[in-house]
């Protein structure tokens, strides 16, 4: 049987940050309809990997391919148009723009996404705040806006960097449900997450990062039965 290639293929990736090696031979795959959790301690290189996929770092070795297309050296503003959405750490909204204006930003990527009304059906709280400045929203509402903005691209792959950071349990549950729905819809998700329970609740597989190097963690079910790798790469008791 022929095995289809992964939607995202990162192979032996190396990059530098301010002249210092940040990633050293990182390998990660994400398939369509698969959620891969990227776990590790602070400073392990998780955000650097996300930034590298989006073209924001200088790659010194290895390869990044999305649906067979080489991403290395591609200008960052061209990558979303291929079908890759980003929910960045810290949300990175345009705080002085309204909710509606933030949701129109993805149109400039040159990729046709779903109608605004369709997006808002999944984010009813945003529908009530379209004319409100993004900077005046609560933390949870801002995170919902960051996710909705990324989904306006109709991405085939979504990169999520700490989407539950600083949120209340109810909002964490809502975001976990959104990720589960994306998986059902066939969207691949690479999820950077410090809250271990949230990551393991929705992920299919785990890849660990340690000092800029990747270590395949395997299926979530196996990790749940044997937490030795979690204790090693994340810390005793998890994040």
């Amino acid at each position: 049987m022929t095995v289809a290639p992964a939607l995202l293929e990162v192979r032996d990736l190396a990059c530098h940050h301010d002249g210092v090696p940040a990633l050293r031979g990182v390998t990660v795959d994400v398939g369509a309809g698969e959620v891969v959790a990227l776990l590790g301690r602070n400073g392990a290189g998780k955000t650097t990997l996300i930034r590298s996929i989006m073209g924001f770092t200088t790659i010194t070795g290895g390869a990044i391919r999305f649906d067979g297309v080489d991403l290395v050296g591609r200008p960052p503003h061209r990558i979303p148009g291929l079908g890759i959405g980003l929910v960045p750490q810290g949300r990175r909204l345009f705080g002085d723009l309204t909710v509606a204006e933030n949701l129109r930003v993805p149109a400039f990527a040159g990729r046709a996404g779903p109608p605004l009304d369709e997006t808002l059906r999944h984010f009813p709280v945003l529908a009530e705040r379209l004319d409100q400045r993004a900077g005046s929203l609560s933390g949870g509402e801002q995170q919902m806006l960051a996710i909705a903005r990324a989904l306006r691209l109709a991405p085939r792959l979504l990169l999520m960097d700490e989407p539950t950071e600083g949120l209340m349990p109810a909002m964490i549950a809502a975001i976990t449900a959104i990720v589960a729905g994306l998986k059902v819809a066939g969207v691949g998700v690479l999820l950077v997450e410090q809250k271990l329970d949230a990551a393991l609740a929705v992920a299919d597989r785990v890849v660990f990062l340690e000092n800029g190097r990747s270590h395949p963690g395997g299926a979530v079910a196996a990790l749940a039965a044997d937490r030795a790798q979690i204790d090693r790469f994340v810390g005793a008791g998890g994040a």
Side-chain angles (χ1 to χ4, degrees):
M1 182 178 65
T2 301
V3 178
L7 186 62
L8 173 71
E9 300 172 281
V10 178
R11 293 285 181 271
D12 298 319
L13 188 68
C15 76
H16 285 70
H17 180 68
D18 291 336
V20 178
L23 299 179
R24 307 170 180 86
V26 170
T27 292
V28 177
D29 287 344
V30 181
E34 181 182 37
V35 178
V36 176
L38 194 64
L39 304 179
R41 291 181 171 85
N42 289 336
K46 303 183 298 296
T47 294
T48 300
L49 175 56
I50 296 291
R51 288 176 54 80
S52 295
I53 295 168
M54 295 303 298
F56 295 134
T57 67
T58 300
I59 306 301
T60 57
I64 308 172
R65 288 183 290 272
F66 173 68
D67 200 17
V69 176
D70 188 4
L71 298 186
V72 175
R74 191 174 292 267
H77 68 277
R78 299 291 186 190
I79 291 178
L82 297 174
I84 302 177
L86 172 65
V87 181
Q89 186 177 29
R91 297 148 194 160
R92 302 295 180 91
L93 300 171
F94 296 98
D96 289 334
L97 299 184
T98 66
V99 169
E101 289 167 336
N102 271 270
L103 290 173
R104 294 190 191 108
V105 169
F108 295 99
R111 181 177 173 86
L116 181 57
D117 288 349
E118 182 178 330
T119 300
L120 292 174
R121 283 197 296 107
H122 303 286
F123 301 90
V125 67
L126 299 181
E128 300 171 358
R129 291 163 170 74
L130 285 176
D131 296 325
Q132 188 171 332
R133 285 195 314 109
S136 68
L137 299 175
S138 70
E141 291 165 350
Q142 288 188 19
Q143 191 63 66
M144 288 295 181
L145 178 55
I147 296 171
R149 181 181 61 183
L151 295 182
R152 292 278 290 141
L153 286 167
R156 298 173 59 206
L157 173 70
L158 186 63
L159 312 177
M160 306 183 78
D161 195 354
E162 302 287 2
T164 69
E165 184 177 24
L167 301 186
M168 300 290 287
M171 194 61 71
I172 293 173
I175 290 173
T176 301
I178 290 170
V179 175
L182 292 172
K183 179 163 60 172
V184 171
V187 178
V189 179
L190 182 59
L191 174 66
V192 172
E193 184 54 73
Q194 287 288 353
K195 292 183 173 60
L196 187 63
D197 289 344
L200 298 184
V202 73
D204 299 293
R205 290 189 294 113
V206 168
V207 173
F208 294 106
L209 279 188
E210 182 182 48
N211 297 324
R213 298 184 185 276
S214 61
H215 303 267
V220 166
L223 288 172
D226 180 4
R227 295 179 61 92
Q229 289 192 82
I230 292 175
D231 291 345
R232 172 187 170 184
F233 294 112
V234 179

